[in-house]
Amino acid sequence: MFKLLGLPNLSLKRKLVVVIMATTLLALFLASAIFQVYDYNSFRRGMVDDFGTLAETLQATVTNALVYNNPDAATQVLAGLEKQPHVLSAGVYDQAGELFAEFSRTEGPPETLPEHCTGDGSSFEEDSLVVHRELAIAERPVGHFIIRTDLVELRQRLQDYLKILAAVIFGVSLIALFISNALQRSVSEPILDLARVARAVSVRKDYSARAKKAGEDEIGRLTDDFNHMLAQIQTRDEELLVARDTAEQANRSKSVFLASMSHELRTPLTAIIGYSEILEDDAEEMGLDDFVPDLHKIKGAGKHLLGLINSILDLSKVEAGKMDVYVEEFEIQTLVEEVCNTVLPIVERNGNHFEVECADDLPNATGDLTKTRQILFNLLSNASKFTEKGSVRLEVVSAKEFDSEWFVFRVIDSGIGMTAEQRRRLFKPFSQADASTARNYGGTGLGLALCKRFCELMGGWIDVESTLGKGSTFTVWMPQVVQARTNIGTGEHPLPDRIATSEWQQVSRRRRGRMTETLIDAQQVLVIDDDPAVHDLLRGMLEHLGFRVGTARNGRDGLERAKLLRPDIILLDIHMPEMDGWEVLGALKADSDLAATPVILISVSDERQRGYALGAEYLAKPIDRGALEALLKKYRGDESAPRCLVVDDDAGQRRILRAALEEMGWAVQEAEHGLEALRSVASTRPQLILLDLIMPQLDGFGFLAQLRKNTAWREIPVAVLTAMDLGAEERSRLSGGVERVLQKDAFNLDDLRAEIHSLAKLSLGS
């Protein structure tokens, strides 16, 4: 209604006033109009009756005058109409319609008989009323008689009525305005109070506010219902806040649990896998062929368990919405080559032929490198597992479809294939094609589920075509530029039948070779002395010379530390309580792993001859720095070998990395935490740093920050090697500060050697 009145933006008070007044005036106007119409028609009928009676009164007289052809008599009769002020004219006409006698108040030509004047009747014309009668003798028509009157009285009556109506409307309007103002307060104020409370609740989210009840009428009941609704919302809001806090706490606990489980489970398993690889290599070199299969089984079981843990943790993070997409720019060709080098041994294990075709004009990708690598690795590993003595093929092209630029990865195998029912279950977690597949080929059914989730997180999708007994084709569509973390890859996109490319390039599938540089001498020194002052003195000297220093306070601890650290040089005090230096030296020489380790005896007494006899060097206390440096140079080896600093609080992990690096010809420095690593870099600048992130005293992030502050150290390549799940925030902190981010769970020693070889090109310019 307010829109019809053109007043949609008025306040409620004014709307109520307008409604009351409009309703009152409309009713008054309609009633007045009806009354006026009725009065107007009644007055017209009265005029017709009055002048009809007058015409009938004169009818007989003028009829006789017409019959006797006495116009004077007829004129005299008509002259009596002079006393009727509203009669304008009158006339008597013969049967032929000729004027016989007339009366007129104005001068003018004789009036002719109107054509419509037949019989008895009346008619209203523009400015007059015409009353006409037929003149007859013995029912024989002899002529016509008309009287014409003005409408002045009718118009005057209408004007008077309109004046009265205007006065009435004005008076009624004042009364309606007064009444509406009084009534609107009882209606609008409670409603306005409700509106104010609703607005306050909406803006301030204060559900404790209540509206005031003005009465027991309908508005009062509305106020009660509104307040009751607010009370319910307040109760539910409080419950939701408690539930939200509980959920947030549960999410935090889950995140902490996942982070803890990720680190605590992956770290020991990585050590198990690493040591099993070292032992397997050592057993092969020593000809202990009986141990190799068992060590291989240990390594395989460790990798299987580690992969299962990783998949479960990743899937739980995806389901909880905690999986981040880290966007960076990378080369597709480089990614394909790295994945192929890694997966080639797996493909060839079942006697399969591996082919890779990659377009040579592919642009750089902007997306999550780690997840893209994992998708390709999972698909190729899966194809290799279900194919024996067949072929596995990877095709990579770019395509423009659906108004977007895409990378299309196809993994084609000639393996066992799948039925339509098996394909429907394929991407569900913990689901494989069927029970027999799980028994014959193993697996948890998580790899493909994670591939699908990762594709969707990056805005792509994965599709599969398969024929039982003939093989399968997995097609991954990945945006060239990942815009956001949105689940749009639902598989509902229409897929082109074929992707055509003009040129193809065969990707190299060569294995990465090991560096052939010669081994270098020790960089790890263990000081065994019961005097803490000697520890501090020797630590300063040795670190200045570029050595990694470990210490022990007595002989028994020294032997344990020697077995753990496998030092390259041992500085051994002779006079110690409980177990002196000679006993320690004897135990060292009796240990096959430590017998070849150079030992330098330090003592206040001159016992060099006995030391020489046992194959140890000798230094007298107080220790001369020049003499110490000269003696250490004997064991230091080739100074030109590249140096790598391994920073990790896990001694076992350092041992694995040291073995792999020394085998590649690197001199290795070690540090347990960031502070020790900074001191090591200050004493001897390494060509490469392998860095863990979670460490005591100063973690990897803090070490990187301090390292990059020194302009002389900014160009040292740093590779992060961690079991920590890196989120967007952690990756942002590492951005620009490291060359690689490697997951401890995602590599073996061959992969590590390949990465070190790649990083060596940056650090050594080779």
Side-chain angles (χ1 to χ4, degrees):
M1 178 177 180
F2 296 115
K3 291 183 179 180
L4 295 176
L5 293 174
L7 304 172
N9 298 322
L10 290 180
S11 64
L12 180 61
K13 290 182 178 181
R14 293 183 179 180
K15 286 180 180 179
L16 288 174
V17 172
V18 170
V19 168
I20 294 173
M21 292 193 64
T23 303
T24 302
L25 294 179
L26 180 62
L28 178 61
F29 178 78
L30 291 176
S32 300
I34 294 172
F35 180 75
Q36 175 62 22
V37 170
Y38 175 77
D39 182 75
Y40 180 79
N41 291 329
S42 297
F43 191 78
R44 280 168 51 114
R45 287 195 299 271
M47 288 180 63
V48 171
D49 291 342
D50 291 343
F51 287 102
T53 301
L54 178 61
E56 291 173 356
T57 302
L58 301 177
Q59 183 177 5
T61 304
V62 297
T63 299
N64 290 331
L66 179 62
V67 172
Y68 292 105
N69 195 22
N70 188 357
D72 293 335
T75 302
Q76 186 177 3
V77 172
L78 295 178
L81 296 174
E82 181 72 26
K83 298 179 180 180
Q84 298 291 333
H86 296 293
V87 176
L88 299 176
S89 63
V92 178
Y93 299 87
D94 59 18
Q95 186 64 25
E98 297 293 334
L99 182 62
F100 178 73
E102 69 170 335
F103 165 78
S104 179
R105 289 186 183 276
T106 60
E107 296 292 336
E111 187 175 5
T112 59
L113 179 66
E115 294 181 358
H116 62 274
C117 293
T118 57
D120 298 339
S122 60
S123 63
F124 284 90
E125 298 182 356
E126 184 177 357
D127 296 321
S128 61
L129 169 64
V130 177
V131 178
H132 53 89
R133 293 289 184 269
E134 187 176 35
L135 304 178
I137 296 294
E139 297 183 358
R140 181 175 62 84
V142 294
H144 297 277
F145 174 47
I146 66 169
I147 297 177
R148 184 183 299 275
T149 67
D150 60 30
L151 301 178
V152 173
E153 189 175 9
L154 179 61
R155 290 173 180 165
Q156 185 63 44
R157 187 180 182 87
L158 181 59
Q159 292 176 1
D160 293 342
Y161 182 82
L162 291 176
K163 291 178 182 179
I164 295 171
L165 179 61
V168 170
I169 289 176
F170 178 74
V172 170
S173 298
L174 292 178
I175 296 172
L177 179 62
F178 175 77
I179 296 174
S180 63
N181 279 324
L183 290 177
Q184 62 85 20
R185 283 192 291 271
S186 63
V187 176
S188 66
E189 288 186 357
I191 296 177
L192 291 174
D193 184 59
L194 284 173
R196 283 192 295 270
V197 174
R199 191 179 304 110
V201 170
S202 176
V203 173
R204 298 194 299 268
K205 308 300 181 184
D206 180 13
Y207 298 108
S208 63
R210 297 292 183 269
K212 296 180 180 179
K213 185 176 180 181
E216 297 298 333
D217 54 4
E218 289 81 357
I219 297 178
R221 290 195 293 272
L222 175 63
T223 302
D224 287 338
D225 293 340
F226 182 76
N227 289 336
H228 180 65
M229 179 186 68
L230 287 180
Q232 289 184 322
I233 294 175
Q234 181 182 8
T235 301
R236 292 182 183 180
D237 188 58
E238 292 172 351
E239 293 174 352
L240 287 174
L241 288 176
V242 173
R244 184 198 65 183
D245 293 340
T246 303
E248 289 179 351
Q249 180 60 40
N251 271 336
R252 286 192 293 269
S253 300
K254 182 176 182 180
S255 299
V256 171
F257 171 77
L258 289 176
S260 175
M261 290 296 291
S262 172
H263 186 268
E264 296 301 325
L265 289 176
R266 288 170 176 169
T267 298
L269 280 173
T270 303
I272 292 172
I273 295 170
Y275 277 121
S276 65
E277 289 182 331
I278 292 175
L279 291 174
E280 186 177 358
D281 291 342
D282 292 344
E284 290 177 349
E285 292 176 0
M286 297 172 65
L288 302 176
D289 296 336
D290 293 340
F291 291 95
V292 173
D294 293 334
L295 292 172
H296 186 73
K297 291 177 182 178
I298 293 173
K299 181 177 68 174
K303 288 184 176 180
H304 177 74
L305 181 57
L306 186 58
L308 179 59
I309 291 171
N310 291 334
S311 297
I312 292 174
L313 291 174
D314 286 344
L315 186 62
S316 65
K317 287 194 293 184
V318 171
E319 298 293 345
K322 297 293 184 180
M323 179 66 73
D324 295 323
V325 173
Y326 179 70
V327 178
E328 59 182 317
E329 186 175 354
F330 59 91
E331 294 182 356
I332 286 294
Q333 288 90 345
T334 303
L335 168 66
V336 171
E337 183 176 355
E338 291 175 352
V339 172
C340 292
N341 288 333
T342 303
V343 82
L344 182 60
I346 302 175
V347 177
E348 294 177 344
R349 188 178 302 156
N350 284 349
N352 296 313
H353 176 63
F354 188 30
E355 295 181 358
V356 181
E357 291 188 352
C358 181
D360 59 0
D361 57 350
L362 294 178
N364 287 351
T366 301
D368 194 311
L369 173 61
T370 302
K371 290 180 176 57
T372 306
R373 181 191 291 116
Q374 186 169 346
I375 290 170
L376 293 180
F377 182 81
N378 284 352
L379 292 178
L380 289 170
S381 300
N382 203 60
S384 304
K385 181 171 66 173
F386 294 105
T387 305
E388 292 185 6
K389 297 181 180 179
S391 64
V392 176
R393 180 182 180 87
L394 172 63
E395 298 177 358
V396 186
V397 298
S398 63
K400 184 175 183 180
E401 299 290 341
F402 324 121
D403 299 325
S404 298
E405 300 287 342
W406 304 85
F407 290 115
V408 183
F409 304 91
R410 279 184 171 177
V411 177
I412 307 169
D413 66 70
S414 59
I416 61 175
M418 293 175 286
T419 65
E421 178 62 27
Q422 291 171 341
R423 290 199 303 271
R424 280 193 290 270
R425 299 194 304 267
L426 192 60
F427 296 107
K428 296 180 180 179
F430 303 101
S431 174
Q432 289 193 337
D434 53 35
S436 62
T437 301
R439 288 193 302 269
N440 296 332
Y441 297 93
T444 62
L446 288 175
L448 291 177
L450 281 175
C451 288
K452 182 175 185 295
R453 301 295 200 282
F454 287 166
C455 286
E456 292 174 351
L457 283 174
M458 291 186 286
W461 71 95
I462 185 171
D463 182 61
V464 60
E465 298 175 359
S466 184
T467 302
L468 187 64
K470 294 184 178 181
S472 304
T473 299
F474 287 85
T475 305
V476 174
W477 290 72
M478 195 69 63
Q480 291 186 10
V481 178
V482 175
Q483 298 290 346
R485 182 172 174 264
T486 53
N487 291 329
I488 62 174
T490 60
E492 298 175 355
H493 304 277
L495 298 177
D497 294 333
R498 182 176 181 179
I499 297 298
T501 54
S502 57
E503 298 181 5
W504 300 83
Q505 177 185 9
Q506 184 71 24
V507 177
S508 172
R509 301 188 300 275
R510 64 184 181 278
R511 293 176 182 261
R512 296 183 183 270
R514 298 181 179 181
M515 298 178 66
T516 59
E517 290 83 0
T518 58
L519 300 180
I520 61 172
D521 286 329
Q523 293 296 318
Q524 173 73 56
V525 176
L526 174 62
V527 177
I528 305 175
D529 196 301
D530 62 329
D531 188 353
V534 175
H535 290 179
D536 295 337
L537 175 64
L538 289 176
R539 182 185 295 276
M541 292 181 180
L542 293 168
E543 288 182 349
H544 180 74
L545 295 174
F547 289 93
R548 165 77 171 87
V549 181
T551 60
R553 295 286 299 274
N554 55 62
R556 297 188 186 280
D557 289 343
L559 288 174
E560 292 296 327
R561 292 282 286 170
K563 293 178 181 179
L564 178 64
L565 297 178
R566 299 297 176 91
D568 300 291
I569 302 174
I570 297 175
L571 295 180
L572 175 62
D573 185 21
I574 295 177
H575 300 289
M576 294 184 295
E578 297 182 4
M579 187 177 187
D580 64 14
W582 301 116
E583 293 178 271
V584 174
L585 181 60
L588 289 173
K589 296 304 180 180
D591 190 328
S592 59
D593 292 332
L594 299 172
T597 304
V599 178
I600 300 175
L601 297 173
I602 52 178
S603 176
V604 294
S605 59
D606 189 356
E607 298 183 73
R608 69 183 65 224
Q609 295 302 324
R610 184 178 178 185
Y612 290 155
L614 294 175
E617 297 287 348
Y618 178 85
L619 275 178
K621 290 183 179 181
I623 297 173
D624 179 76
R625 180 171 180 173
L628 175 64
E629 184 174 357
L631 188 58
L632 290 175
K633 282 184 177 180
K634 179 179 179 181
Y635 302 103
R636 189 156 190 169
D638 186 5
E639 292 283 345
S640 64
R643 297 180 182 276
C644 179
L645 173 61
V646 177
V647 189
D648 198 313
D649 62 326
D650 186 347
Q653 186 68 28
R654 295 198 306 271
R655 170 76 176 86
I656 294 171
L657 294 174
R658 170 185 282 277
L661 288 164
E662 288 181 345
E663 187 180 357
M664 296 173 66
W666 287 78
V668 181
Q669 301 167 237
E670 296 183 26
E672 284 189 63
H673 50 74
L675 291 177
E676 193 172 354
L678 290 172
R679 290 194 293 266
S680 179
V681 174
S683 63
T684 304
R685 186 183 189 276
Q687 281 76 42
L688 176 65
I689 298 175
L690 295 182
L691 177 67
D692 189 19
L693 292 179
I694 302 177
M695 296 180 294
Q697 299 192 34
L698 182 65
D699 63 12
F701 297 106
F703 169 77
L704 273 176
Q706 296 297 323
L707 186 74
R708 298 314 181 195
K709 286 182 180 179
N710 191 319
T711 56
W713 300 343
R714 288 178 183 171
E715 300 303 321
I716 302 175
V718 178
V720 169
L721 189 60
T722 180
M724 176 182 179
D725 281 323
L726 298 181
E729 181 180 355
E730 289 82 5
R731 288 183 178 271
S732 177
R733 294 174 64 185
L734 296 176
S735 179
V738 298
E739 301 296 333
R740 296 281 196 281
V741 177
L742 309 175
Q743 289 290 334
K744 287 183 178 179
D745 60 308
F747 77 96
N748 51 36
L749 291 182
D750 288 336
D751 296 332
L752 177 64
R753 295 182 185 108
E755 291 291 347
I756 296 299
H757 182 68
S758 175
L759 290 167
K761 296 178 182 179
L762 296 175
S763 60
L764 305 177
S766 58

